[in-house]
């Protein structure tokens, strides 16, 4: 099994920046891809950004040009650098690991308000 520990959430004003981290431990050898999802109140969980083992990344249209996903494979850590944050980015952000048995982090809150 894989354990995920997220950090880096918080409150920020519109236009601000945050960097999320997700450290994976345990049986990480079979990780196929890692991703960030988010869930705003009363909304469905949505994919924010994806990083595959081959180095490909994919971002949701709503965050293109503002968010960057990256990985430190040596440390099994996933990052999400967020710039130009908007109130619409307010959500709980979850780290996701694609495995034969997928794993989710506990979530970290991001709040963007004036």
């Amino acid at each position: 099994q894989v354990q995920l520990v997220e950090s880096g959430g918080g409150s920020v004003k519109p236009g601000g920046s945050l960097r999320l981290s997700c450290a994976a431990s345990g049986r990480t050898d079979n990780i196929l891809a890692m991703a960030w999802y988010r869930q705003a109140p009363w909304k469905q969980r949505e994919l924010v950004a994806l990083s595959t083992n081959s180095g490909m990344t994919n971002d949701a249209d709503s965050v293109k040009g503002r968010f960057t996903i990256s990985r430190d494979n040596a440390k099994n850590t996933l990052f999400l650098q967020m710039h130009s944050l908007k109130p619409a980015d307010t959500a709980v952000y979850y780290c996701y690991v694609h495995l034969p048995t997928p794993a989710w982090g506990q979530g970290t809150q991001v709040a963007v308000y004036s």
Side-chain angles (χ1 to χ4, degrees):
Q1 294 185 350
V2 173
Q3 294 76 43
L4 303 174
V5 178
E6 299 152 345
S7 60
S11 299
V12 64
K13 292 183 178 181
S17 299
L18 286 172
R19 188 188 194 212
L20 305 183
S21 299
C22 172
S25 61
R27 300 190 64 178
T28 60
D29 291 351
N30 294 328
I31 291 177
L32 302 174
M34 300 182 74
W36 289 99
Y37 282 75
R38 68 185 181 187
Q39 187 166 19
W42 303 291
K43 292 188 177 180
Q44 290 188 330
R45 192 172 296 189
E46 63 175 359
L47 176 66
V48 176
L50 171 74
S51 172
T52 69
N53 283 1
S54 63
M56 293 180 62
T57 62
N58 189 31
D59 304 328
D61 288 342
S62 59
V63 306
K64 283 186 187 298
R66 300 188 298 121
F67 291 10
T68 302
I69 189 170
S70 61
R71 289 167 66 173
D72 182 337
N73 290 324
K75 297 182 178 180
N76 291 314
T77 303
L78 182 71
F79 303 99
L80 184 67
Q81 180 67 57
M82 305 184 291
H83 294 298
S84 302
L85 282 160
K86 306 174 181 179
D89 296 318
T90 295
V92 177
Y93 285 70
Y94 296 92
C95 178
Y96 168 85
V97 171
H98 186 55
L99 286 162
T101 302
W104 291 91
Q106 80 283 2
T108 184
Q109 176 72 53
V110 171
V112 185
Y113 59 92
S114 299

